[in-house]
Amino acid sequence: MKVTFLHPHGHGQLAGGFRVITEYADYLGRQGHEVFTVSPPREREPRFKGPLRRLPLRRDPFQDDSFVRGRSFTNIVSGSPHMLTPDDVPDADVIIATWWLTAEWIAGMPPEKGRRVHFIQDLEIFPYLPQERARAVLRDPMPKICVASWLEDALRKDFGADDITTVFNGTNLDAFPGGATDANRSGVGCLFARAPRKRFVLARDAVKEARARSGTDIPFKGFGAYPVTTNEGYDQYQESPPQDELAKIYGRCRAWLFSSESEGFGLPILEAMAMGTPVIATRAGAAPDLVNERNGRLVDSTPEAMAEAILELTTMSENEWSAMSEAARKTAELHSAENAAASFAKALERVAAGEPLRPSGQPHHSD
């Protein structure tokens, strides 16, 4: 197949959603498909006016972006500063919108640019977006691939989606190779994020509650993209750690806390599980699809409920914890990046052939 991914961010974008796009593009390229990722330049204003405003296509090797360096696809940064047009993208069998705005861009693309599909990693109607335009995109009948059961359900119920399937995100098992990285794991960990919907305060307060109930200083560890103060309560914290350190942080914990109020998927769930770390999670994103009594705990969104699970997982016997750790790793292996990409590729093949994303008789959710 010839496959084109459209994304709005330019190069150097290190968000988790972009990482997923990059992994899929790389997998397809390694399988022998001809793959392009196309975006406008990072600059939001044209450098030139008049006839020079539109520049020829140029390939960008992503010199500053470790997510794409050495990958098996071609990246194109167009000369169009605000949007992509048919002149900016190659002919293909499938063209993939990866954000509501790119779905608008491909609406008018000619057939030779590929059959359209919208890859949706969250419900793209955030308050800061133009609401009517974002909702109109989700009502578009183009095929949709989403990343979690809750998202497919919402798109079916609220936007009338019919030609739709779920392909759960995966995690790179080479980057998260499993096993304890400390001789003795201790305490719990959590990603620090400022966004209110990530609800870091819930995790912090749950650790405080667990400490108060137990009378012990349960270690609290984590990482994030921002500096922290003593108010966040961490005993160990790394700001923007490199990939190998990230795996070690997960691997030093007896449990990982996922406290989001809403989430498209929640990649830290699988990253922690890949390191054999059970997850204590609220019912957001893909947590209900991934977390169960064997590999962690789903809890109510209160500090008390999360604290109870923290105490259970940090004080259970080594045999019980080892069994839970093994189950967590097996969950991550089931949802490896390779398995996820293979499922994504099969979905694209159906789109390219003009077939519905979910064959007749296939279960409602699949991966």
Side-chain angles (χ1 to χ4, degrees), residues 62-310:
F62 279 113
Q63 292 296 327
D64 62 342
D65 193 334
S66 61
F67 283 174
V68 296
R69 191 180 302 125
R71 300 285 192 166
S72 58
F73 58 85
T74 299
N75 180 72
I76 295 174
V77 177
S78 83
S80 303
H82 300 295
M83 65 177 293
L84 299 175
T85 72
D87 291 337
D88 295 309
V89 300
D91 293 350
D93 299 303
V94 179
I95 184 168
I96 306 166
T98 62
W99 178 241
W100 74 276
L101 187 59
T102 59
E104 281 192 343
W105 295 344
I106 71 173
M109 294 280 179
E112 59 266 24
K113 300 304 175 182
R115 293 184 182 271
R116 300 183 304 149
V117 60
H118 191 179
F119 177 43
I120 304 177
Q121 299 194 62
D122 206 338
L123 198 59
E124 300 167 348
I125 49 175
F126 300 113
Y128 57 85
L129 297 179
Q131 294 289 295
E132 287 308 310
R133 289 171 60 190
R135 291 179 182 275
V137 161
L138 296 179
R139 288 192 292 266
D140 188 300
M142 83 170 81
K144 296 174 176 63
I145 303 172
C146 57
V147 298
S149 297
W150 79 269
L151 190 49
E152 179 174 340
D153 290 339
L155 291 167
R156 286 183 178 276
K157 177 182 177 182
D158 300 330
F159 297 93
D162 180 44
D163 192 2
I164 185 171
T165 194
T166 296
V167 176
F168 296 114
N169 286 341
T171 192
N172 186 333
L173 298 179
D174 292 332
F176 300 96
T181 57
D182 275 2
N184 297 298
R185 293 182 185 235
S186 64
V188 298
C190 183
L191 170 69
F192 174 67
R194 292 176 176 171
R197 73 173 185 153
K198 300 291 185 178
R199 229 168 19 188
F200 168 77
V201 171
L202 171 60
R204 182 200 64 190
D205 290 351
V207 173
K208 290 181 179 179
E209 176 71 16
R211 288 171 171 173
R213 290 189 192 183
S214 66
T216 60
D217 289 330
I218 299 171
F220 187 33
K221 309 169 186 180
F223 65 91
Y226 308 98
V228 297
T229 68
T230 55
N231 291 334
E232 280 71 54
Y234 283 112
D235 300 296
Q236 299 175 29
Y237 179 82
Q238 291 190 49
E239 181 181 346
S240 301
Q243 183 67 61
D244 58 343
E245 283 299 315
L246 185 60
K248 292 176 183 178
I249 296 168
Y250 287 123
R252 294 181 184 126
C253 300
R254 295 275 289 186
W256 193 260
L257 307 182
F258 178 79
S259 55
S260 292
E261 178 180 22
S262 64
E263 195 80 45
F265 185 82
L267 284 173
I269 296 172
L270 284 180
E271 291 174 350
M273 286 187 175
M275 294 305 297
T277 303
V279 175
I280 299 169
T282 53
R283 293 173 175 83
D289 297 313
L290 302 172
V291 181
N292 54 50
E293 290 296 304
R294 297 183 301 278
N295 59 27
R297 293 289 184 267
L298 281 174
V299 298
D300 292 337
S301 300
T302 66
E304 293 77 16
M306 186 167 280
E308 184 176 344
I310 290 172

Side-chain angles (χ1 to χ4, degrees), residues 24 27 31 167 336-349:
Y24 284 166
Y27 174 88
Q31 297 302 308
V167 176
S336 69
E338 288 284 312
N339 288 347
S343 296
F344 189 82
K346 289 178 182 178
L348 294 187
E349 288 169 359

